[in-house]
Amino acid sequence: MLRVGIFFGGPSREREISFAGGRTVFDNLDKALFEAVPVFVDSLGNFIRLDWQYLYKGTIRDFFPPASALPVTEQPWQIYQESLGPLTHEQQDALARAVGEPIQPRDFRQLFDFAFLTLHGPYGEDGAIQGVLDWVGIPYSGAGILPSAIGIDKIAQKKLLQAMGWPTPTFCTIGLDQWNASAATARPALFAELEAALGLPFVVKAPHQGSSIGVSVVSDEAGFAAAVNRSFFQQEIDLAQWRTWSAAQKSQFAQHLTDIRAGIGLPVQLGENGPIAHHPAHLLTLLDQVANEQLKTNNQQLITLLSLTDAETAVLVEAFVAGREFSCIVLENPDGGAPLPLPPTEIIKGTEVFDYRSKYLPGMARKITPMPLPDADLHRLRARCAALFTAFQFSVYARLDGFYTPDGEIFLNDPNTTSGMLPASFFFHQAAEIGLNPAQLITLIIRTSLAARAREGKRAHHLRHTLARLDAALANQRAAGDQRLPVAVVLGGYSSERHISVESGRNIYEKLASSAKYRPVPVFLSGSSESWALHVLPIHLLLKDNADDIRDQIRAWETGHGHHPVLDEIAAEARPLTARFLQAEMQRGPRRISLDELAAEVDAVFIALHGRPGEDGALQAELERVGLPYNGSGPAASRVTINKYETNQRLRAAGIRVADHNWVTRAAWETDGKAFYQQIEHDFPYPLIAKPADDGCSSAVKKINDRPALEAFTRLIFRDGEDLMPADAATLGLSFREEFPRKTGFVVETLIGADGARHFLEITGGLLTHRLPDGSIAYELFEASEALATGAVLSLEEKFLAGEGQNITPARYAPESAERQRISEEVKRQLQRVAEVLHVEGYARIDAFVRVRAASDGHPAPVEVIVIEVNSLPGMTPATCIFHQTALAGYSPYEFIDRILAFGQARR
């Protein structure tokens, strides 16, 4: 079995996406062929053989640096390692030992046979790590040193494209020293020069970053200086204004400024030769000191510059291309033939820039594959991508981005030698069009990379032997056939949670697909509450960007418009590459299936649906009718837990604390709107919480501060059509493409606060049930996670977007270990009581607030648990905190899913 070291993390700004990508590869690596070795690269470039449990934290900052190493500050800042300041080698090794084992490049050959690189940005895809691995004789995935160096440098790429006669937008560069030396009064003249040369708008880019970090579209002079500074990762601050800010405003400023994706990052230098701040708290102190000193000396220099100490030395400025944006993955032919461009994807975005949020949060942008173009233009675009792949000497694979203009011109402008590897990234999305699931694509990349390294002549004999071993294992795998247990994974639906349901279902599918026990069958549920249908999906539909894309593709196939001849041609071109990895002939379109037919094809069902139907017991009842075991609670319990109002009523009757609540209806609002609002305000003082009763994922959960907000919420949730009223959406601060369901009633609740408690926090706790020999059920409660919301309620991003949100596991109930554990056990006891009252089975997630009162008269501190909601089918996306909790209990995600399925089968 080939040992694969998976490298992730790193010093770059994209380290969180790299972390999530490493987890994706770790989970999808074919367990019958490979042994995974997680290698975390920290902010300082150290290599750590990571204990696998930490892979399932939400972000790097959730586990590294470890909590014991964090400095004591007034605010609980989450920081990266560089915020600890200068560290000795011994200190760095001590940090590493808290999460794994520090290793050196000389150790690599004893630990793994191959390195799979999911590192991004500088030090990850610029040739640096590739050089280290070449030096120690470890074959690695992707391109070698030279093409990697080209692929990271946007300025070098532009010059090469220009020299080779390829069409590219007009561009120029601005040097850091030139920019900082110029007076503010000189910048209008520079803007005028750029406007004359490039036209408006133009684009300013940080040339060595990915994920659209440091990219701005400049439309006028007012935004010019800020855009250039953003690409240099520096910011000017008015110290006179700083002195007028409150402590909360200063803290918010520091939080944004030190964000490695949207801000500058750390360490930051104040002024040209000023002090350096490593920690956000230190930055606040230094700014206060500089501002106060300025006040004492009556210094008229009001502006100071904050600069990242390790930043860009030049920025790229290029003409804006008015065209359709696309991305195309190109695969090398390991047998020496022409490279294979996969079907290009068009990106339909809601903003001028395909930014970090749009790239990685499902539903924020549309990805249409293949790009809707005439067949001849699709082939022309693919041929151009293949030609650039060859011209830049890329190998194994690359992602080429570009624009297709209204007059048919093709601009290729951002070739990448490492693609993002989240489950719905272009890398997996486009490979699915030639029939490869993520596990198969990763295997193909490993095999192609071994062949590429062997051709480079370094340890060639050894690599050819390794390649032969892998080919023999693949041949044996194909000859044995697929004997695994068939399990349907049902995903999608029609609720506001459908996109998250697809993410959950894909994650379950991928965990099972890479196992030796289960053969997952993806099944998409569509329709409405009146009538729904099931379709077995081919892999390329499963990996469409979101639920609406999958639904639209199914409709197109059912009306005879789903078939695309170019996709068939590309799949035929790919057959020499894919033949050794595919177990069966590729399924091109969706296949409608009834529950009775499904029962004849699979042995069990994993319901990955959220909202209705799924969490309401409707599907469970139908599965019981056809005799299929399933995950989660039965129909009766599900019908209660989906309804937040009914859940609160049941729990309150059992003596369990819940928020004061009420159910309000559209009928009452239509009868007398004035009385409707007055009754709510009489029963619930502002601020209050308003939310749908049967939607999750923070859908339409809003903190209501006043009557205008209450009226806006009511009009939106009781509206007749799908479209949102813009004024009401603005009143509630709805973000781009935020879902807001239509209902006939909603729940109003008291906003839960500390109420004088010594410690107050929001937690989410997971549980798993086990069947005992006597037929009874035992509950296993996991350590709850502390959820830190930046706003009034946890957002969609904080719950499900990799690198967002702060879920600290285990929750920080108290600083003393013994007291923390005592409180944890009390919280678990109360959460178990909730599950017992509601007859929850299988697994669940329970959200609650915890108040820890002050101890008195020698008695331990009282603990109050106020339940918010119970999810009988919790989110199972890769970034959800239930996997953090199960990892602490010793379950890998696959083992947790296996236990859930086993309970469902035993229940039958």
Side-chain angles (χ1 to χ4, degrees):
M1 187 174 286
L2 201 66
R3 300 170 303 167
V4 176
I6 303 168
F7 284 66
F8 55 90
S12 86
R13 295 172 174 273
E14 300 173 83
R15 66 188 71 162
E16 294 290 1
I17 293 303
S18 169
F19 174 52
R23 177 172 57 215
T24 301
V25 174
F26 184 86
D27 285 341
N28 284 279
L29 202 65
D30 190 326
K31 306 305 184 292
L33 298 172
F34 306 109
E35 176 190 341
V37 180
V39 181
F40 171 59
V41 185
D42 70 17
S43 305
L44 305 181
N46 297 304
F47 302 102
I48 304 168
R49 184 177 181 177
L50 193 70
D51 293 342
W52 68 265
Q53 294 90 337
Y54 294 106
L55 266 174
Y56 299 101
K57 293 290 187 179
T59 72
I60 292 170
R61 292 175 299 171
D62 288 342
F63 71 92
F64 195 83
S68 59
L70 301 181
V72 177
T73 56
E74 289 185 10
Q75 297 185 54
W77 296 97
Q78 274 206 318
I79 61 171
Y80 290 107
Q81 183 184 20
E82 57 266 33
S83 290
L84 297 178
L87 299 170
T88 66
H89 292 305
E90 291 75 15
Q91 289 171 321
Q92 293 174 48
D93 284 349
L95 293 175
R97 289 190 189 95
V99 296
E101 176 192 358
I103 56 176
Q104 299 296 324
R106 63 176 180 266
D107 304 320
F108 289 174
R109 285 169 67 173
Q110 282 71 50
L111 297 173
F112 44 84
D113 309 299
F114 181 88
F116 200 106
L117 302 179
T118 69
L119 296 166
H120 293 281
Y123 309 104
E125 51 181 315
D126 60 355
I129 186 65
Q130 290 81 0
V132 170
L133 292 166
D134 273 341
W135 187 264
V136 297
I138 293 290
Y140 51 86
S141 62
I145 297 173
L146 175 61
S148 295
I150 294 171
I152 194 67
D153 192 329
K154 294 180 177 63
I155 294 175
Q157 292 167 12
K158 300 287 287 185
K159 292 178 178 178
L160 280 171
L161 288 169
Q162 199 174 55
M164 293 188 297
W166 287 61
T168 189
T170 306
F171 70 96
C172 61
T173 61
I174 302 173
L176 176 63
D177 293 339
Q178 167 200 357
W179 174 256
N180 285 342
S182 64
T185 53
R187 290 176 182 175
L190 177 58
F191 174 81
E193 290 177 21
L194 293 171
E195 182 182 1
L198 307 175
L200 286 179
F202 54 77
V203 184
V204 182
K205 295 180 177 179
H208 299 97
Q209 310 297 323
S211 296
S212 299
I213 292 171
V215 177
S216 303
V217 176
V218 176
S219 301
D220 53 43
E221 186 181 332
F224 173 57
V228 175
N229 278 327
R230 187 178 302 117
S231 294
F232 278 129
F233 303 108
Q234 59 186 24
Q235 183 170 334
E236 295 171 342
I237 180 169
D238 185 330
L239 292 175
Q241 184 184 48
W242 173 264
R243 290 196 299 269
T244 68
W245 284 356
S246 67
Q249 287 174 310
K250 291 177 179 178
S251 175
Q252 187 176 23
F253 169 83
Q255 188 171 19
H256 177 79
L257 184 90
T258 59
D259 186 318
I260 60 173
R261 297 150 304 176
I264 294 177
L266 289 165
V268 167
Q269 184 167 34
L270 280 70
E272 186 175 350
N273 297 302
I276 294 175
H278 290 86
H279 193 281
H282 187 211
L283 174 62
L284 293 177
T285 301
L286 287 177
L287 283 171
D288 281 339
Q289 290 174 353
V290 173
N292 291 335
E293 186 64 29
Q294 176 203 75
L295 186 64
K296 290 177 184 176
T297 59
N298 197 25
N299 188 342
Q300 298 303 306
Q301 178 61 41
L302 299 178
I303 306 297
T304 192
L305 188 68
L306 305 176
S307 307
L308 186 68
T309 57
D310 182 15
E312 302 282 0
T313 57
V315 299
L316 173 67
V317 187
E318 65 180 5
F320 182 85
V321 177
R324 297 161 63 183
E325 192 168 355
F326 67 85
S327 188
C328 182
I329 299 289
V330 181
L331 299 177
E332 179 186 359
N333 188 323
D335 299 320
L340 175 75
L342 296 178
T345 299
E346 181 172 11
I347 303 153
I348 310 295
K349 54 193 185 296
T351 57
E352 286 182 304
V353 176
F354 186 40
D355 61 13
Y356 188 95
R357 185 171 183 267
S358 298
K359 283 184 174 181
Y360 302 119
L361 184 64
M364 291 296 105
R366 292 196 65 204
K367 300 173 185 174
I368 303 175
T369 308
M371 187 176 188
L373 290 174
D375 293 359
D377 284 352
L378 269 179
H379 287 306
R380 183 166 63 90
L381 190 155
R382 293 178 61 240
R384 185 71 62 84
C385 290
L388 185 63
F389 184 93
T390 301
F392 278 9
Q393 300 182 47
F394 289 159
S395 59
V396 185
Y397 76 96
R399 194 192 82 234
L400 308 182
D401 298 337
F403 294 91
Y404 182 89
T405 68
D407 60 2
E409 193 166 16
I410 298 168
F411 290 95
L412 297 177
N413 74 325
D414 198 3
N416 288 267
T417 54
T418 297
S419 174
M421 293 191 183
L422 269 67
S425 68
F426 295 116
F427 185 67
F428 297 119
H429 177 88
Q430 294 180 15
E433 297 289 351
I434 59 173
L436 295 174
N437 68 30
Q440 293 163 339
L441 176 61
I442 290 169
T443 302
L444 180 147
I445 294 300
I446 292 172
R447 190 195 180 281
T448 305
S449 298
L450 285 168
R453 303 289 88 81
R455 286 197 305 275
E456 291 167 0
K458 300 164 185 170
R459 303 185 72 218
H461 175 76
H462 172 77
L463 292 175
R464 283 193 290 269
H465 176 69
T466 302
L467 193 59
R469 282 171 48 208
L470 178 57
D471 283 344
L474 285 166
N476 291 337
Q477 191 179 62
R478 280 181 54 80
D482 200 335
Q483 306 297 319
R484 297 174 298 168
L485 190 74
V487 175
V489 180
V490 182
L491 64 153
Y494 43 78
S495 78
S496 59
E497 304 170 74
R498 62 194 179 279
H499 301 309
I500 300 303
S501 168
V502 167
E503 287 292 293
S504 289
R506 274 200 284 246
N507 189 40
I508 299 298
Y509 171 88
E510 291 169 2
K511 300 293 190 293
L512 299 181
S514 62
S515 77
K517 181 177 179 180
Y518 296 106
R519 175 174 61 83
V521 178
V523 178
F524 187 79
L525 187 147
S526 60
S528 66
S529 57
E530 288 76 32
S531 175
W532 37 268
L534 300 173
H535 289 84
V536 176
L537 296 179
I539 185 64
H540 65 284
L541 292 194
L542 174 66
L543 294 188
K544 291 296 179 185
D545 190 51
N546 58 60
D548 293 349
D549 285 351
I550 297 173
R551 179 202 61 203
D552 292 347
Q553 287 287 318
I554 289 172
R555 289 175 179 171
W557 278 91
E558 290 184 333
T559 57
H561 299 95
H563 178 261
H564 200 300
V566 171
L567 293 180
D568 289 343
E569 293 174 28
I570 297 173
E573 287 179 51
R575 202 154 289 130
L577 274 71
T578 61
R580 59 167 53 91
F581 306 104
L582 296 176
Q583 292 280 355
E585 196 64 31
M586 180 181 174
Q587 177 188 340
R588 285 304 318 168
R591 174 169 59 92
R592 185 156 184 168
I593 192 169
S594 69
L595 279 172
D596 293 282
E597 292 167 333
L598 188 66
E601 294 189 17
V602 302
D603 292 341
V605 170
F606 196 105
I607 307 171
L609 297 169
H610 305 308
R612 298 178 187 271
E615 288 189 79
D616 61 354
L619 182 57
Q620 289 88 336
E622 288 296 297
L623 292 172
E624 289 187 0
R625 178 184 63 79
V626 299
L628 274 175
Y630 56 86
N631 56 304
S633 296
S638 298
R639 279 191 291 270
V640 174
T641 55
I642 194 174
N643 188 313
K644 296 180 179 69
Y645 178 75
E646 179 65 20
T647 297
N648 281 351
Q649 292 287 90
R650 294 281 183 101
L651 294 177
R652 172 164 284 177
I656 295 170
R657 287 186 178 90
V658 296
D660 289 337
H661 58 278
N662 205 354
W663 173 251
V664 297
T665 66
R666 176 170 179 164
W669 175 64
E670 290 176 334
T671 300
D672 188 340
K674 183 178 180 181
F676 175 88
Y677 295 122
Q678 287 176 341
Q679 186 63 52
I680 292 174
E681 290 169 332
H682 176 269
D683 296 337
F684 300 91
Y686 293 116
L688 56 86
I689 294 293
K691 59 187 177 184
D694 57 354
D695 281 65
C697 299
S698 298
S699 175
V701 178
K702 296 297 173 184
K703 178 184 176 184
I704 306 296
N705 292 310
D706 49 34
R707 171 69 76 89
L710 180 60
E711 291 176 346
F713 183 95
T714 304
R715 284 191 295 265
L716 284 173
I717 207 161
F718 290 158
R719 71 191 187 278
D720 293 318
E722 286 292 339
D723 293 339
L724 302 181
M725 291 80 85
D728 290 332
T731 297
L732 294 182
L734 300 188
S735 59
F736 171 66
R737 297 191 72 171
E738 183 174 341
E739 295 277 353
F740 206 96
R742 292 181 295 149
K743 302 289 181 181
T744 58
F746 63 90
V747 176
V748 182
E749 289 183 349
T750 300
L751 179 67
I752 302 297
D755 189 33
R758 178 172 56 84
H759 190 40
F760 175 69
L761 66 163
E762 183 177 355
I763 60 105
T764 179
L767 63 88
L768 181 65
T769 63
H770 305 274
R771 182 74 62 185
L772 299 178
D774 64 0
S776 63
I777 291 176
Y779 289 89
E780 181 179 4
L781 275 294
F782 301 120
E783 285 289 346
S785 301
E786 179 181 351
L788 302 179
T790 54
V793 297
L794 281 171
S795 68
L796 188 70
E797 293 91 333
E798 288 171 321
K799 284 187 174 182
F800 300 111
L801 175 57
E804 293 283 345
Q806 297 181 30
N807 291 294
I808 299 172
T809 311
R812 300 170 299 179
Y813 298 119
E816 304 83 11
S817 177
E819 176 67 356
R820 197 217 70 82
Q821 194 58 39
R822 181 192 71 82
I823 297 170
S824 174
E825 293 305 319
E826 175 60 17
V827 172
K828 289 180 187 178
R829 187 187 68 78
Q830 295 195 40
L831 296 186
Q832 178 170 331
R833 189 159 169 250
V834 170
E836 291 169 342
V837 167
L838 299 175
H839 304 292
V840 167
E841 290 185 349
Y843 67 121
R845 193 193 79 226
I846 303 173
D847 297 340
F849 289 106
V850 175
R851 294 184 186 131
V852 182
R853 301 283 183 184
S856 62
D857 300 327
H859 297 290
V863 179
E864 297 174 2
V865 177
I866 305 100
V867 176
I868 307 170
E869 64 176 283
V870 178
N871 293 101
S872 60
L873 292 176
M876 299 285 274
T877 70
T880 49
C881 60
I882 199 164
F883 290 125
H884 317 172
Q885 299 168 19
T886 57
L888 275 183
Y891 298 108
S892 71
Y894 166 74
E895 289 168 336
F896 180 50
I897 295 164
D898 182 39
R899 295 296 180 95
I900 292 168
L901 284 169
F903 181 88
Q905 291 170 302
R907 177 172 54 196
R908 180 180 62 173

